[in-house]
């Protein structure tokens, strides 16, 4: 680990970290914690710049609190397959940042004239009595870097959660938070302020507000932000006619986390004619909500420009190719009884989840599997059943045509079992997995073989 850190000074991170691909539903990233997703569309691809939660330990951060030392960037062309481009900025390589603070909180990135400006908060080295956050910028020629951090943080900015917005007239703005939400114009060079910071007025006046993210649609400027209206954060928005406001409170985008994750943090993009909300929950760390995981769900507007409340889903967005692993634990719908989800390994949640069927005819539906116009010969299932059992995979409904019926042999270990496909679906279809036996079956994943 030490060698790795030393090398980071000298070698671009991308050389040390080969790109890694993952295919995911919600959460998007399974091999590390990710939070505060700032999503952007650059050159027809979606890039997500999240924070990177890591476990604190005695010599690393503060136990029980947020602990973050670097940032990765992820990209996708279909919102299902994600590439991790590795570390783009690390506290050890930012001259002004206190590399013992582990405070690389929520970032943002924006493109202007072919250059990419990555804004990030951290605690400065010389903070002294005034320990608090400053906001720095790192600049790159490509969305995945390499990013070069500026030697000093942006003057006149104290706070966290930077968000940059460029209006149609080319004027850029920087938003950030420190209890309230602040805004200032950015200079042409995107590296310094061009106006005095001002508080964004007319947002709810009680309860913490942070994580600003501004976007424009049909001439309406949307100020979105997490707000503690009750005990924990929910995502709200306000609408206005100008990036500097005033904004009128307009509603709730997402209610408080059902799993009690204290924070949430959003970004909203339009990609291929659909709007999406990126946010986080603590899926991979249900007992500690400072180890979070980023998610996406679709977002819809009403005719008057207001935003419909988004219900968090496990299925997320996008189609899953039939030949890829389909994880029924990221289901769209399930029967009321007889089916539950659990971690494969509670000591290593990065291994993901399994689906437990323990009542005959219990079912789970997984929407949007893409069969294209291919012909599939068989279905493969990773499953286990102590007493042996049967799993049916049906088209669309619990009483839909049976695509394949798989006999899971009696055993004590996970097995990969195949069975012929009797119906060949075409295009994008919903699948239902149903327990055909009286005996329980646990399923990790299924996939179709050509
Ligand atoms: O990730 C650390 C902090 O938690 C962020 O800066 C806030 O927005 C909240 O999500």
């Amino acid at each position: 680990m030490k060698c790795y850190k030393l090398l980071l000074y000298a070698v671009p991170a991308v050389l040390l970290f080969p790109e890694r691909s993952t295919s995911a539903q919600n959460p998007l990233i399974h091999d590390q914690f990710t939070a505060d997703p700032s999503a952007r569309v650059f050159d027809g691809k979606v890039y997500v710049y999240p924070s990177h939660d890591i476990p604190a330990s005695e010599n690393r951060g503060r136990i029980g609190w947020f602990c973050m030392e670097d940032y990765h960037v992820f990209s996708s062309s279909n919102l299902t397959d994600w590439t991790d481009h590795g570390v783009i900025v690390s506290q050890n390589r930012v001259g002004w940042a206190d590399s013992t603070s582990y405070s690389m909180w929520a970032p943002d990135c924006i493109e202007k004239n072919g250059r990419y400006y990555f804004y990030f908060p951290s605690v400065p080295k010389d903070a002294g009595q005034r320990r608090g956050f400053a906001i720095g910028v790192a600049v790159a020629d490509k969305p995945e870097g390499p990013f070069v951090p500026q030697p000093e943080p942006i003057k006149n900015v104290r706070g966290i959660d930077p968000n940059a917005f460029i209006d149609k007239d080319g004027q850029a703005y920087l938003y950030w938070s420190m209890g309230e939400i602040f805004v200032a114009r950015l200079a042409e060079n995107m590296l310094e302020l061009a106006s005095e910071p001002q508080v964004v007025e007319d947002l709810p006046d009680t309860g913490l507000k942070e994580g600003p993210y501004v976007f424009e649609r049909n001439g309406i400027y949307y100020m979105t932000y997490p707000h503690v209206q009750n005990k924990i954060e929910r995502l709200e928005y306000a609408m206005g006619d100008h990036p500097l406001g005033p904004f009128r409170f307009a509603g709730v985008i997402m209610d408080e986390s059902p799993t009690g994750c204290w924070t949430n943090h959003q970004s909203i993009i339009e990609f291929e004619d659909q709007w999406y909300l990126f946010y986080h929950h603590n899926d991979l760390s249900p007992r500690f909500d400072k180890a979070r995981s980023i998610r996406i769900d679709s977002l819809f507007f009403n005719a008057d420009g207001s935003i419909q409340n988004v219900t968090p889903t496990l299925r997320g967005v996008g189609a899953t190719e039939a030949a890829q692993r389909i994880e029924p634990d990221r289901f769209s719908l399930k029967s009321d009884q007889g089916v539950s989800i659990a971690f494969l390994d509670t000591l290593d949640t990065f291994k993901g989840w399994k689906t437990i069927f323990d009542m005959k005819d219990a079912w789970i539906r997984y929407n949007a599997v893409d069969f294209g116009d291919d012909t599939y010969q068989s279905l493969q299932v990773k499953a286990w059943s102590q007493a042996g059992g049967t799993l049916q995979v049906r088209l669309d409904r619990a009483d839909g045509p049976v695509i394949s019926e798989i006999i899971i042999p009696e055993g004590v270990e996970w097995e990969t079992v195949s069975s012929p496909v009797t119906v060949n679906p075409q295009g994008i279809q919903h699948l239902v997995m149903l327990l055909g036996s009286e005996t329980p079956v646990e399923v990790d994943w299924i996939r179709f073989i050509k």
Side-chain angles (χ1 to χ4, degrees), residues 37-92:
S38 178
R40 297 288 179 189
V41 182
F42 296 137
D43 293 332
K45 251 172 133 174
V46 176
Y47 288 82
V48 186
Y49 300 84
S51 314
H52 181 197
D53 292 331
I54 54 173
S57 60
E58 213 171 301
N59 298 314
R60 187 164 86 167
R62 182 173 131 203
I63 291 171
W65 190 236
F66 300 108
C67 183
M68 295 115 122
E69 64 181 341
D70 59 26
Y71 301 98
H72 289 225
V73 60
F74 302 85
S75 72
S76 174
S77 308
N78 59 8
L79 300 179
T80 295
D81 303 306
W82 290 93
T83 300
D84 180 354
H85 298 277
V87 173
I88 51 167
V89 172
S90 148
Q91 64 180 8
N92 301 321

Side-chain angles (χ1 to χ4, degrees), residues 237 252-253 299-302 306-310:
Y237 73 108
V252 177
I253 303 173
L299 177 138
F300 299 92
F301 292 87
N302 296 311
S306 55
I307 298 177
Q308 295 179 9
N309 190 281
V310 179

Side-chain angles (χ1 to χ4, degrees), residues 149-194:
Q150 292 295 296
E152 298 294 334
I154 304 175
K155 285 196 186 68
N156 218 6
V157 179
R158 305 289 294 185
I160 58 169
D161 296 356
N163 164 238
F165 170 74
I166 303 179
D167 202 4
K168 285 175 288 192
D169 62 3
Q171 176 63 56
Y173 298 84
L174 185 72
Y175 302 82
W176 67 94
S177 60
M178 209 174 62
E180 299 293 336
I181 292 175
F182 295 83
V183 59
R185 288 191 169 86
L186 272 167
E188 228 359 75
N189 65 11
M190 301 293 277
L191 304 175
E192 49 200 1
L193 299 189

Side-chain angles (χ1 to χ4, degrees), residues 35-36 51-53 65-68 104-107 121 133 160-162 177 208 210-212 226 233 262-266 280 290 292:
D36 309 322
S51 314
H52 181 197
D53 292 331
W65 190 236
F66 300 108
C67 183
M68 295 115 122
M104 308 296 271
W105 286 20
F133 282 82
I160 58 169
D161 296 356
S177 60
L208 176 75
E210 54 180 3
E233 290 181 340
W262 201 95
T263 62
N264 200 350
H265 191 116
Q266 76 301 337
H280 69 229
K290 313 245 167 349
R292 299 154 295 174

